[in-house]
Structure formats: structure tokens, C-alpha cells
Amino acid sequence: MKCPSVQVLSILSLSVLLLWGNSEAMTLNSVLLRPVSGGGQGGGGVLPHQRRRRSWVWNQFFVLEEHSGDEPLYVGKLHSDMDKGDGHVRYILNGEGAMSIFTIDENTGDIHATKRLDREQQAFYTLRAQAQDRDTNLLVEPESQFIIKVQDINDNEPKFLDGPYTATVAERAPAGTSVVTVVATDVDDPTYGNSARLVYSILRGHPYFSVEPKTGVVRTALPDLDREVRDRYLLVVQAKDMIGQMGGLSGTTSVTVILTDVNDNPPRFPRKSYRFSVPESVEVSAAVAKIKALDLDVGPNAEMDYRILDGDGLGTFRILTDPSTQEGLVILQKSLDFETKSIYTLHVEASNRYVDTRFLSSGPYSDTALISLLVENMDEPPVFSSPVSMMVVSEAAAVGTDVGSVSAHDPDFINSPVRYSIDRKSDSEQYFNIDRTSGVIRIFRPLDRETVALHNITVLAAESLDPSKVGKAVVLVSVLDVNDNAPSFAIEYKTFVCENSRSGQIIETLSAVDRDEPERGHHFLFSLTAEAAGNFNFTLRDNKDNTASVLTQRAGFLQWDQSVHVLSVVISDRGSPPLSSTNTLSITVCDCDLDGNRRSCSRGTSPQLVVGLNVAATAVTCILTLLGIATVIVVMRHRRAELLMMDDERDVRENVVRYDDEGGGEEDTEAFDMFTLRHSNQTNTDPVRTESTLDKNRLFQEFIRDKLQEADLDLTAPPYDSLQTYAFEGSASAAESLSSLNSSESEPDYGSLKEWGPKFRKLRDLYGHWEGGGINS
């Protein structure tokens, strides 16, 4: 019995039909749900805080993916208990794919899938269902949410996303050693069926490798794989879903397995004995032979060391390893001589530098061989008994004195005679010569130890039968010293004495030098000449240590009395025989301050002061020269400026130049009256001319005179005046213009030339023949 104040709520029953294999139908049970509060008509008449029983389910609809039928795929059915089948209830579907992928019959509630679904793109769809009263559009059931899940089918094959693979494994590795793990991925649903359950197998690579079916771990299947036989393998691994059953999908990948090297091979010589020929002239430290032991291993496992075990060439040769080629290089340690020994034997061994103890049981990791070295006889150059000879001679020895001798011989069997000579590149000054046959060296030029103390000459010895075979030796000739140089002042002294000097004051300390080098060192004696010893101004004291002091004998020196004093000093050595020299010491009298520092000297001023004065004088001279040049430039520019200013002030008259007016050529009334220029000596009696016209003519005449004066004063102007510039004709002639521009077509009358006076006599002689054969003067 229902309470009258509570609206009776309808129950929505949901029937779900699932397509399973043979399209078997399944009905879902009803459950109690909390009603949706409506509040009036918007809630479809459902009162709040009430519960009612309804047949709505929260389970899922299922639909198979990849359905390829022509008709829409039936998914399920929605039904409300309020639907009496009279068409008053309308079903509405909202959410993911509603009305695009999934459709609903609004009358029956049947749901269909209209498109082909792919679970790998979207595994489920969330939708919302409503049941409305068709007349009032009010909900007869609260809106509820449900899921349509796409059911997986096995439509994706496994894929190796990280393939192809490359792996390494050491050779000789035991069977079952892990090489690499391959992983395949299947995007099918791993929670449903066996579509994503994979099984691995090897299609290619048997019987050397295997793979674990479930984990994909590739392992070695055979022990003792030998890199030297085969260093790489290409495997093909397959992954198949459906646990490998028939009908499952599969994918493959390749695995390249590279065997890494281990030191499992000892070095071996290809031959047990070797024979080499070595020229006896080969230089020490040269490689005379190469041998190589072969090792099938690579890298550090193939590195080896060579050593000489025994043989008669043990001290003459040594062997070492070339790091780039692993060859054994036989190196010569001593010079060879065919005449002394012509064959050597060496017993050598090659062994691995790094040994793997795991493989020592197979045998020693070394090998031996015998090397025979045959010395070839060569035509060798002469050999000196000593490559370097030391000789001593006195610098006083006369030309032709024997210094010493050298000796050389032909080491070959024929023992050819030798001829000696001196390499003139080592004795360009030709101090010595040598006897061609005996090798005796003699002095050819006088020697001077102070010039060259040690002569380094090269002596050549050539075979008489083959002069191209030449041996060399070095001869060092040391020149002994004799006392042939007198001592002298060590430096050029600039000695001064102050006017206020006291008696007995030391003004200079003298020292000496001697180009000779006595064995016991220098011992100099200082003294004054007899003339210098008698002066009363200065004296000399020998300090017995190769120096001497100059002292004053009186106090007070005056520049105006004597500005420079001269002191003659004798310096002698204690050689055998002793030598001496007289040296002059100049002492300048200077004005000094109380501390003895000179302020001014009449002569012999200090070099620094002289240099300073010279620099100052040079600077003053340069400054004065620059000032003189600047003054001349300023004066010339000023003069030019005045001339330009004069031209600018009178530019009103420059129209003579601008119009290129020639005397008598034309009359430019706008510029000026040319009549005045043409007839400058005639008086203007024309009554028509006004006073202003005369003023203009005078102004023009002044302009002409100014131009003449300007040209005369301008030293840079060409040698012509302004009248010539304007081509004015002279006014001394009373004749008219002789220009052809004013000539008439009639024959000219030259008879008037006689009347023009003696100035036109030459012209009269030239043209007088036109008047009856001449004009009498």
C-alpha cells in the first residue's frame, strides 16, 4: 500500500543483449538506486529524499571490434518499466560516440554500432541514457551512465620496436651464455584471451644459438665458438601470439651477433730461418732486417715482443717491435766491417705481450726463428786513425812551421793510397796547408791568438784510385799566447777636477786591459813619465791590484788659469819580454758645488751634458727654421690676399676679361667705350660726349695702370703686362689698323708708307713693289 503523499515512481528495466559467439542473449538483474531530486515538474514528479526500486544496471555493454558486416551491429537494449508500449516514452542517448558511432531507436531503446570499431584506438565508450515522456518531455527515469566496451580480437601481430639488434659475445664462451634479450610488443588486449601472449623462437641461427620462449633471451647453444673461423652470425628471431598456437599472428627481427676476440692463438713464424744481406757501409741505428710472426688474434691479443736469445751478433744488433705493424726490426748497434767479420747469426723469439691463462694448456704462446745477416763488402772511403785531432802551436811560430799530422787508410781489401787536402770552407783565411802525401799540417799564414784562438779545420782524405771516396776528420789547432800586446787604459776616461779640490784628493781610479792572456793572469804596473812626474798638480799611486789612483798635489784650480791638464801614464805588464804603453789622461777643471758635483766646465764636459746641449741646440734651430718658413708663407699669403682683395674691389671692371674685348675689334657700349683705348693720345672734342662719359674713361685708364703695376709687382706672374693681355696695339703709329677684317676688296694703297717716316722703312721695303716696283726712300 502506497502513501498518497508520495508519487509512485516508475521502475526502469534494462535488458542487455550480448553477442557472444552464437548471439546468445543475456538479461541483467535490477538493482536499487538513489533517485534524482527533481523539485516540481523539472524532476519528472520525483520527490526528494525518497528511494525507489529501479531496473537500471551499471554493468557494461560489449561489442566486438573490427566488425565488417553490412548492417549496423546490435549492441543492446534500454527499456523502462514506465514504457507500456503505447509510444509515450522516448529513449535518448548522449555521450562519447552518441548518434555518430552508436544510435538508439527512440521508440524501442535498441542500440546499434554504425561504424567499425578498433579497440587499439579506443577501448571503451561512456554514454548516458534518458527516458522522456514524449508529450511533456519530462524524464520518466533519472538519467544514468553506462559503458560500451570494445571486445578485443587478435588483429595485431607482435612487433620488435627496438630491432634489428646487434650484440657481441666473446669467442670460446660456454654454451648458455646470454647474448641479448629481444622484446616484442603486441597491442592486443593482454587481459582478454591469448591475443597478446607471445612465444619466441629462432628461425635462423641453429645450432649455434637459442632463445628462451617466454623471455626472449638469446643464448649461445654451442661451446667454443671460434672467431678465427667465423666472426659473426645473423639470427632471425620470431615472436608469435596466441601462445604460439596455429592461427596466431607473428613478427620477426634480426640479431647480428659478433664474436669478440680472446687470446687463444700463439704467435708463429712463417719460416724457421731468415737470411738478410747488410752493406758494411750502413749507418749505426739503422734497421737492417724485418721479420714478423703471425698471430690470428687481433688487437692487444696480437701484440708481441721480440728478443734475441743468443747468437754471435748479440752485441752488434738488437731487435725491437714496430708498434704499428708488430714487426721485429733488427737494428745495427755497431759499425760493420766486411774485412773483420762477414756473417752474423741471431736466435730470436716472438711472444705474446698479454697471455690468457685459460689457454696456456694448449701450448706456449711464443715461437723462435734463426736470422743470418751477411755483410756485403763495399768500397768504403778512407778512414782516419782518429776522427778528431788536437794540435797546439804558438802564435809566434813562423810560416811553414809543422803543426802536426793526420793519418788515414783505405779500409778495403785493395788498400788504395790516399791524398790529403783541407776543406777550405773550414779554413777560408788559409792559415794552414797540408802535405798531400804525408798529411803533415803546416802554418801558411802568420797566426794571431787575439784574432783566432782556436782553428777548427776539416781534413779530407780521398782514394787515389777513386777520388769520389772521401773520408773526413776534424783537426782542432789551439794557438798559444805570447806577450805581443802592450796594456792600455781600460776605457776612455773623462776626468775632471773641481776648482775647490783639496790636496791629496783622489780624482780618478785607472785600470788597464791587455789582449794577451798570460797563464798566471795579468800584473800591471802604473807610473808617470819623467815629464809628468815633475809637475806639482797631480801625482799617480799604483794600488798593486792592477789599478792606479790619480791624486791632487795642491788645492785650488782655476779655469781661467788653465782649463785642461794633461797627465802621461805609463802602463807595463810583466810578460816576457815585458811590454808597456804611454797613455794620456786629460783632466778638465770644472766649477763644482760643495758636494763635488760639477756645474760647469770649460772643456771636456760630460757626454750627457753635451748630448743635452746638442739636442737643445738642434731643437732651437728647428724651431727657428719652422718659424722662418711660416713667416714667409704668411707674407706670401697676405700679399696674395691683398691682390685678390684688389681684384674683388674692382671686379666691376673685370668685364674686359670676361668679354674678351680686343682693341679695335668691336665696341661694347655696355662695358665701356673702346674709343678711349684705341685713341688714348687724342683729345676728345666730341661735344656729344658728356662729362659722365669722360669720368668713365678716366676710371678705365686708372684700371689699366693699376693692372700694369700689379703685374710688375707680382713675382709669380708671366712675363707680360696687362696691355699685352688685352692685345692693345701701340699708339705711336698714326696709321689705321692693318687688320684684314677692315680691308676692302680694292687693291691696297702702299704709297702712304713713304709718308709714315723712318720707323716703317722695313715695311715699306716689303710692300713697296706693289707701287711700280718700289718706293724711293
Side-chain angles (χ1 to χ4, degrees), residues 292-327:
K292 185 176 182 179
L294 302 181
D295 193 327
L296 298 178
D297 297 323
V298 294
N301 295 324
E303 294 180 2
M304 62 189 71
D305 294 320
Y306 296 88
R307 66 190 182 101
I308 299 177
L309 298 178
D310 53 44
D312 55 7
L314 187 59
T316 307
F317 302 92
R318 64 188 179 96
I319 190 169
L320 53 85
T321 304
D322 187 336
S324 59
T325 63
Q326 296 301 308
E327 291 178 313

Side-chain angles (χ1 to χ4, degrees), residues 258-275:
I258 301 174
L259 298 184
T260 59
D261 185 62
V262 298
N263 193 7
D264 57 343
N265 293 279
R268 289 289 181 264
F269 283 108
R271 298 159 55 185
K272 287 301 180 182
S273 63
Y274 297 86
R275 181 181 293 267

Side-chain angles (χ1 to χ4, degrees), residues 512-731:
V513 292
D514 193 334
R515 297 179 62 191
D516 296 324
E517 289 185 2
E519 295 181 1
R520 299 181 180 179
H522 292 290
H523 297 280
F524 300 123
L525 299 176
F526 295 86
S527 62
L528 295 178
T529 61
E531 295 79 4
N535 79 88
F536 300 98
N537 297 319
F538 304 97
T539 185
L540 184 69
R541 183 180 66 197
D542 193 335
N543 297 325
K544 307 301 181 181
D545 59 354
N546 291 337
T547 65
S549 299
V550 180
L551 298 87
T552 59
Q553 291 199 98
R554 65 182 178 88
F557 293 87
L558 297 177
Q559 294 187 47
W560 60 268
D561 185 15
Q562 185 175 350
S563 60
V564 177
H565 297 267
V566 177
L567 196 64
S568 298
V569 180
V570 178
I571 309 176
S572 60
D573 56 24
R574 296 184 180 181
S576 178
L579 299 177
S580 63
S581 66
T582 301
N583 302 266
T584 301
L585 179 67
S586 298
I587 304 173
T588 305
V589 180
C590 298
D591 178 27
C592 304
D593 57 18
L594 296 178
D595 297 329
N597 299 317
R598 55 186 169 182
R599 292 182 296 194
S600 63
C601 300
S602 57
R603 290 178 57 188
T605 54
S606 65
Q608 295 82 358
L609 182 58
V610 172
V611 171
L613 293 176
N614 290 338
V615 172
T618 303
V620 172
T621 302
C622 294
I623 293 174
L624 292 177
T625 302
L626 293 176
L627 288 176
I629 295 174
T631 303
V632 173
I633 294 175
V634 171
V635 171
M636 293 182 65
R637 289 187 177 178
H638 182 68
R639 179 163 184 167
R640 288 179 178 270
E642 289 181 351
L643 294 178
L644 293 175
M645 186 180 300
M646 184 181 297
D647 293 341
D648 293 340
E649 291 175 354
R650 301 176 182 178
D651 58 355
V652 67
R653 308 163 200 166
E654 291 295 334
N655 48 18
V656 176
V657 180
R658 295 170 185 168
Y659 292 97
D660 196 19
D661 296 327
E662 294 182 0
E666 63 179 341
E667 183 173 333
D668 190 350
T669 57
E670 293 183 1
F672 53 84
D673 191 358
M674 295 298 295
F675 180 81
T676 303
L677 183 62
R678 297 170 186 164
H679 308 281
S680 58
N681 293 337
Q682 298 182 7
T683 305
N684 184 11
T685 58
D686 190 355
V688 180
R689 296 183 179 274
T690 62
E691 185 177 355
S692 61
T693 304
L694 296 177
D695 293 339
K696 292 181 179 180
N697 292 337
R698 284 194 298 272
L699 182 62
F700 179 70
Q701 291 175 355
E702 293 177 0
F703 168 73
I704 295 298
R705 285 194 297 271
D706 292 340
K707 287 296 181 181
L708 281 173
Q709 184 178 5
E710 177 184 326
D712 293 338
L713 296 177
D714 190 358
L715 299 178
T716 61
Y720 52 80
D721 56 22
S722 58
L723 288 178
Q724 290 174 330
T725 304
Y726 295 104
F728 297 134
E729 296 180 0
S731 60

Side-chain angles (χ1 to χ4, degrees), residues 330-350:
V330 180
I331 307 299
L332 180 65
Q333 295 190 112
K334 296 180 181 179
S335 299
L336 300 178
D337 186 6
F338 172 82
E339 289 73 22
T340 303
K341 188 174 180 60
S342 61
I343 186 170
Y344 295 89
T345 57
L346 300 174
H347 188 209
V348 298
E349 178 190 59

Side-chain angles (χ1 to χ4, degrees), residues 240-512:
K240 189 174 184 180
D241 58 15
M242 300 298 295
I243 323 178
Q245 297 176 358
M246 185 177 297
L249 303 179
S250 64
T252 60
T253 187
S254 64
V255 180
T256 301
V257 180
I258 301 174
L259 298 184
T260 59
D261 185 62
V262 298
N263 193 7
D264 57 343
N265 293 279
R268 289 289 181 264
F269 283 108
R271 298 159 55 185
K272 287 301 180 182
S273 63
Y274 297 86
R275 181 181 293 267
F276 298 95
S277 295
V278 182
E280 66 173 336
S281 60
V282 67
E283 296 182 357
V284 175
S285 300
V288 298
K290 293 182 181 179
I291 60 174
K292 185 176 182 179
L294 302 181
D295 193 327
L296 298 178
D297 297 323
V298 294
N301 295 324
E303 294 180 2
M304 62 189 71
D305 294 320
Y306 296 88
R307 66 190 182 101
I308 299 177
L309 298 178
D310 53 44
D312 55 7
L314 187 59
T316 307
F317 302 92
R318 64 188 179 96
I319 190 169
L320 53 85
T321 304
D322 187 336
S324 59
T325 63
Q326 296 301 308
E327 291 178 313
L329 305 180
V330 180
I331 307 299
L332 180 65
Q333 295 190 112
K334 296 180 181 179
S335 299
L336 300 178
D337 186 6
F338 172 82
E339 289 73 22
T340 303
K341 188 174 180 60
S342 61
I343 186 170
Y344 295 89
T345 57
L346 300 174
H347 188 209
V348 298
E349 178 190 59
S351 59
N352 275 138
R353 186 171 301 169
Y354 308 103
V355 178
D356 194 334
T357 56
R358 295 177 298 172
F359 308 105
L360 286 177
S361 58
S362 59
Y365 275 72
S366 63
D367 196 12
T368 60
L370 186 66
I371 301 177
S372 298
L373 299 169
L374 305 180
V375 181
E376 295 180 355
N377 187 24
M378 305 294 293
D379 188 6
E380 300 174 85
V383 178
F384 282 88
S385 58
S386 177
V388 179
S389 299
M390 296 291 298
M391 300 180 184
V392 178
V393 63
S394 172
E395 65 175 330
V399 173
T401 302
D402 292 349
V403 178
S405 64
V406 294
S407 176
H409 70 282
D410 183 6
D412 298 321
F413 179 77
I414 59 176
N415 194 17
S416 172
V418 297
R419 295 292 180 263
Y420 301 97
S421 62
I422 293 178
D423 186 355
R424 289 306 173 188
K425 293 181 181 179
S426 63
D427 185 28
S428 59
E429 300 294 333
Q430 298 186 9
Y431 286 103
F432 305 94
N433 61 12
I434 189 171
D435 188 279
R436 290 176 54 83
T437 305
S438 64
V440 175
I441 299 174
R442 297 183 176 91
I443 299 175
F444 188 70
R445 286 184 55 190
L447 302 177
D448 185 5
R449 190 205 63 82
E450 287 71 40
T451 302
V452 181
L454 180 66
H455 295 267
N456 185 344
I457 62 176
T458 301
V459 178
L460 308 177
E463 292 184 11
S464 299
L465 300 179
D466 186 3
S468 63
K469 300 300 180 180
V470 179
K472 295 182 179 182
V474 175
V475 176
L476 301 177
V477 180
S478 178
V479 181
L480 297 180
D481 183 45
V482 297
N483 191 26
D484 58 348
N485 292 278
S488 61
F489 279 157
I491 61 174
E492 182 180 355
Y493 291 99
K494 303 294 185 180
T495 307
F496 72 94
V497 61
C498 296
E499 289 182 320
N500 56 355
S501 295
R502 302 182 308 275
S503 177
Q505 182 176 345
I506 297 177
I507 62 173
E508 189 67 84
T509 299
L510 306 177
S511 61

